[in-house]
Amino acid sequence: MHELPDQADAHLVAQYEAYPYPKRDPRDEGKRLILGSPGHLREIDHWVFGAHRPRSQPLRALIAGGGTGDATIMLAQQLASANRPGRVTWLDRSEAAHGIVRGRAAARRLTNVDFQLVSLLDLPGSGLGPFDYIDCCGVLHHLPDPAEGLRALVSVLAPGGGLGIMVYAPHGRTGVYMLQDALRLLAPVEEAPPARLDVARRVMRHLPETAWLRANRYFSDHIDGGDAGLYDLLLNPRDRAFDIPRLFALLDSAGLTPTCLLEPLRYDPATWLPDPRLRARAAALPPMQRAALAEALTGNMSVHVVYCTRTAEVPPPPDALAPDAVPLAREMPAAELAKHIQPDLTLPFLFDGLRAPLPLPRLAAPILRLIDGARSVAEIGAELAKRGIDQEAFARDWRGTWEMLSGVNRILLLPPA
Ligand SMILES: C[S@@+](CC[C@H](N)C(=O)[O-])C[C@H]1O[C@@H](n2cnc3c(N)ncnc32)[C@H](O)[C@@H]1O
């Protein structure tokens, strides 16, 4: 068993026993499936494996710091619904969360989930794994040493596998850390979690008008998350935010390279720089600096979701221009997406309050209406050819449609059977 390295970590254990995160009730499983990133099967297929890994190959997934089970249940259900082989291992050290995720899996009669009530720091040499996909959402930034945590995960990553990680980002959390400072004084971390929560609720009731969290209009975790959410946001014994340079340095320290930051267009400064001279300057920067520029410019990112692989094993990017490529919608059906295209051929998109009208080519709507996760690019082209659309125009407009809609994680590629 790994020694608890410090007091903050002992308080973190107490927090997630008192307030397993996020608050979930197994009885709700009959009503809805919670979807998110990272850990969505279509994203893993596309962004981790470049849509090259056959669907028939069993997927061994680890959800490290899985909490009450959102990613575990989503991925296990998606595998089961698609009749795909693989198992999902939930791992966490919260007994309270363990009870809830087991209840959720049982409510769905999922038989492809395993449970490990251990610390992720104990993974090296544990005999667990190897795993083709490792998910770690909202966990590394709470650890005493995030780089040690990430190395522990990589120690059980199978050759050719990849990770999906979420860490907090600083600018979109403006106001959070000031209130954490205030609450450390008003509700010392040594006090019992319910007493601390009561103090936080009282503080929120009379938050001074100038408190930055009040001005932070697009950040609502403290409003939506109930007790577990408020505690996690304002009373967490340790959380640190990673800006892009820090995130890349963290990944690099574990020998990892990003294959995708979600959503890619959000991290492309060109999306936010209409001025051609500025675009040219931004385009000349290396990839990490381009993403850092987008982060600093937009100022509203509160998390980073990144998929990554070992630096020596980055797969070739998904090839959407190949005739046998099969595009599919992540969730909202492509035909439905087409309905949102405006008369000026833009698709309105919102990134945490930041509007981005995505320019689409003329044939985007007819192409989207033919995307059903079964037709290949060649078949879509052939269908449009019957309607008198020439192949050159189709190829050009498919490329333009793809660049925009994969850039917002809406249209991805289906891997081979
Ligand atoms: C903010 S919650 C995130 C839960 C889940 N991943 C999600 O995004 O909904 C953080 C989780 O990490 C777990 N955790 C923290 N340190 C851990 C460790 N060393 N090993 C395993 N789990 C840990 C906590 O118990 C808690 O359930």
Side-chain angles (χ1 to χ4, degrees):
M1 180 69 194
H2 201 90
E3 288 290 307
L4 285 182
D6 61 16
Q7 269 307 100
D9 203 48
H11 292 307
L12 194 76
V13 170
Q15 170 187 336
Y16 291 118
E17 288 306 338
Y19 300 110
Y21 186 92
K23 184 175 170 51
R24 295 291 180 243
D25 183 338
R27 284 171 299 190
D28 292 334
E29 291 311 310
K31 300 180 201 152
R32 49 88 185 105
L33 176 66
I34 294 179
L35 302 167
S37 305
H40 191 291
L41 181 58
R42 288 185 174 167
E43 292 177 8
I44 298 169
D45 284 341
H46 184 93
W47 296 117
V48 176
F49 298 113
H52 304 298
R53 188 178 195 273
R55 285 173 280 152
S56 55
Q57 207 170 315
L59 184 75
R60 299 162 297 181
L62 170 69
I63 314 292
T68 50
D70 283 0
T72 306
I73 297 300
M74 169 177 66
L75 185 54
Q77 183 66 65
Q78 288 174 331
L79 285 169
S81 302
N83 216 2
R84 282 177 54 169
R87 299 198 67 77
V88 182
T89 299
W90 170 96
L91 178 151
D92 203 293
R93 52 182 187 177
S94 162
E95 286 190 31
H98 185 211
I100 294 167
V101 67
R102 272 192 180 273
R104 294 177 73 181
R108 291 183 170 274
R109 296 196 167 82
L110 290 169
T111 55
N112 55 355
V113 187
D114 301 309
F115 304 92
Q116 290 293 336
L117 191 59
V118 293
S119 168
L120 67 86
L121 297 175
D122 292 328
L123 278 168
S126 65
L128 292 173
F131 298 98
D132 306 302
Y133 172 70
I134 299 178
D135 188 280
C136 193
C137 177
V139 182
L140 291 177
H141 47 234
H142 297 306
L143 299 183
D145 179 353
E148 182 197 4
L150 191 53
R151 282 195 303 274
L153 298 181
V154 174
S155 76
V156 292
L157 182 66
L163 294 95
I165 292 170
M166 184 280 267
V167 289
Y168 292 147
H171 308 321
R173 288 169 66 80
T174 295
V176 169
Y177 294 101
M178 294 172 219
L179 281 181
Q180 286 190 3
D181 289 347
L183 283 163
R184 255 190 298 277
L185 298 169
L186 276 173
V189 70
E190 295 75 27
E191 287 182 9
R196 299 188 73 213
L197 187 71
D198 178 59
V199 174
R201 288 231 171 279
R202 288 167 189 272
V203 166
M204 291 305 286
R205 239 173 262 150
H206 304 288
L207 205 53
E209 255 175 78
T210 49
W212 279 106
L213 193 61
R214 273 186 79 160
N216 193 344
R217 285 181 294 151
Y218 302 115
F219 188 77
S220 57
D221 284 14
H222 52 301
I223 299 165
D224 309 334
D227 288 355
L230 189 65
Y231 202 101
D232 206 48
L233 184 76
L234 297 180
L235 297 163
N236 200 297
R238 172 168 35 224
D239 91 51
R240 65 198 103 198
F242 287 77
D243 61 12
I244 284 289
R246 286 191 178 89
L247 173 58
F248 275 58
L250 174 71
L251 297 177
D252 191 52
S253 75
L256 301 169
T257 292
T259 52
C260 166
L261 284 159
L262 276 187
E263 293 83 5
L265 274 183
R266 192 172 180 178
Y267 288 87
D268 179 354
T271 307
W272 314 115
L273 293 172
D275 183 321
R277 283 199 196 181
L278 300 184
R279 276 188 175 205
R281 281 182 180 242
L285 296 171
M288 190 276 276
Q289 291 184 17
R290 286 207 298 275
L293 171 59
E295 175 182 33
L297 202 57
T298 54
N300 74 337
M301 295 177 186
S302 59
V303 298
H304 294 302
V305 173
V306 62
Y307 287 107
C308 50
T309 64
R310 286 192 181 91
T311 301
E313 296 177 348
V314 176
D319 183 6
L321 305 183
D324 60 350
V326 177
L328 86 169
R330 177 187 179 273
E331 284 298 332
M332 182 191 284
E336 190 63 30
L337 270 173
K339 290 187 191 155
H340 294 271
I341 299 177
Q342 304 297 297
D344 68 355
L345 293 183
T346 61
L347 185 70
F349 215 83
L350 200 63
F351 298 98
D352 293 321
L354 178 58
R355 273 173 296 142
L358 305 178
L360 290 173
R362 195 174 54 85
L363 296 177
I367 291 173
L368 283 173
R369 284 196 285 268
L370 291 169
I371 290 180
D372 60 1
R375 282 191 189 93
S376 66
V377 167
E379 286 164 343
I380 293 170
E383 195 59 44
L384 289 176
K386 286 188 212 154
R387 303 177 200 173
I389 288 163
D390 80 62
Q391 288 305 283
E392 222 169 279
F394 165 68
R396 189 191 55 229
D397 283 12
W398 164 234
R399 180 194 289 265
T401 305
W402 168 255
E403 280 170 3
M404 284 296 144
L405 293 179
S406 65
V408 288
N409 195 35
R410 288 298 184 269
I411 301 290
L412 304 171
L413 293 190
L414 182 73

